[in-house]
Amino acid sequence: MYGKLILECELLVRTGMHIGGSSVFSAIGTVDSPVISDPYSGKPIVPGSSLKGKLRTLLSRSIHQDIEHMPDFDEDAEEICKLFGSSKPVRTARLQFADAFVCNEEELSSIGLTEIKFENTINRKNCVANPRQIERVVPGVKFAVRIVYDVQGSQEDAEKDMRLLAKGMKLLQMDYLGGHGTRGSGRVSFQNFHLKNFEAVLDTSALEDIFKEVETYELLPV
């Protein structure tokens, strides 16, 4: 069986999230560390590469069980390389991650999509403070996530792959996305899953059931 499976869901920001953009040309007095944004609209985005990389790393950690000595990407477990790809040997990833754009801007029109968080680092030797300004996406912002899966086998093969992807999403909901996660930033949730076939004949209702567990498996439930 061949074709494509399109997975759509929403990524909900639970605590301020910072996925950094470029501050090379920032003027004096502006934000030291802005979030990455869409150059066309100026709104924050979640790059597909950021989501893909975090999911892959968390899955590799869970399988390898040694966070201090992680394998190179090409040495990841077979099931991870199958989904996320490798270069030696060359293997095309079955998953394709699109950049995720804000999908509920109107709900946050009164407060905006981002905030400026002020932080200080203290020099331990002379106690001099080094203040900085970090831009974060505010809690409540939702991003429309779209992942395309290349179907290359049976319904059972697809279910196995989707269970691995769902596991990565569960792990992410117990971890963080972006920077400053050990200080509380970047907690996210996945919700409102929908799967549809494109030139494939998979049982999408059975696959959607796999992701129902993701919605209840999180660090900050409401």
Side-chain angles (χ1 to χ4, degrees):
M1 185 188 305
Y2 295 93
K4 300 208 182 265
L5 179 72
I6 301 172
L7 183 153
E8 296 176 332
C9 66
E10 294 173 348
L11 185 150
L12 171 63
V13 178
R14 295 290 192 183
T15 65
M17 181 181 70
H18 176 84
I19 299 179
S22 174
S23 58
V24 174
F25 301 106
S26 295
I28 295 175
T30 59
V31 176
D32 299 301
S33 185
V35 298
I36 192 167
S37 59
D38 174 24
Y40 179 76
S41 66
K43 300 171 187 175
I45 64 172
V46 175
S49 58
S50 296
L51 184 56
K52 176 184 178 182
K54 186 68 178 189
L55 291 173
R56 179 171 189 159
T57 296
L58 291 172
L59 285 170
S60 183
R61 285 180 183 176
S62 71
I63 293 174
H64 194 64
Q65 294 290 309
D66 187 353
I67 194 173
E68 298 296 332
H69 302 90
M70 291 289 289
D72 292 334
F73 290 108
D74 293 329
E75 297 173 352
D76 277 338
E78 174 70 16
E79 58 266 39
I80 293 179
C81 289
K82 181 171 62 175
L83 280 189
F84 295 91
S86 65
S87 58
K88 294 180 181 180
V90 175
R91 175 175 293 180
T92 302
R94 290 189 180 183
L95 295 178
Q96 304 162 29
F97 291 78
D99 290 344
F101 297 87
V102 176
C103 59
N104 69 332
E105 182 181 8
E106 293 182 359
E107 297 176 13
L108 300 160
S109 59
S110 63
I111 62 174
L113 300 175
T114 65
E115 63 183 0
I116 305 302
K117 184 175 185 291
F118 288 84
E119 292 189 350
N120 274 318
T121 57
I122 306 297
N123 187 308
R124 289 183 172 180
K125 293 183 178 180
N126 56 25
C127 296
V128 173
N130 179 28
R132 58 181 178 174
Q133 303 174 54
I134 297 173
E135 186 179 24
R136 304 195 306 177
V137 178
V138 300
V141 173
K142 297 178 182 178
F143 292 89
V145 174
R146 173 172 288 193
I147 303 171
V148 178
Y149 169 73
D150 285 333
V151 180
Q152 298 182 25
S154 64
Q155 174 79 23
E156 291 73 21
D157 292 328
E159 289 182 3
K160 183 178 179 180
D161 287 343
M162 291 302 102
R163 290 188 188 280
L164 186 61
L165 176 58
K167 178 182 178 181
M169 290 179 167
K170 290 179 181 179
L171 291 171
L172 178 50
Q173 290 183 155
M174 297 296 289
D175 205 271
Y176 59 88
L177 184 62
H180 315 292
T182 58
R183 285 173 274 169
S185 297
R187 310 297 175 180
V188 300
S189 298
F190 292 99
Q191 57 186 23
N192 299 328
F193 286 88
H194 178 67
L195 285 81
K196 57 185 177 182
N197 286 309
F198 181 81
E199 297 184 347
V201 290
L202 294 173
D203 180 359
T204 55
S205 61
L207 297 174
E208 284 181 358
D209 286 342
I210 295 172
F211 291 95
K212 288 180 180 178
E213 295 182 7
V214 175
E215 297 183 341
T216 58
Y217 193 97
E218 56 184 330
L219 182 64
L220 299 173
V222 293

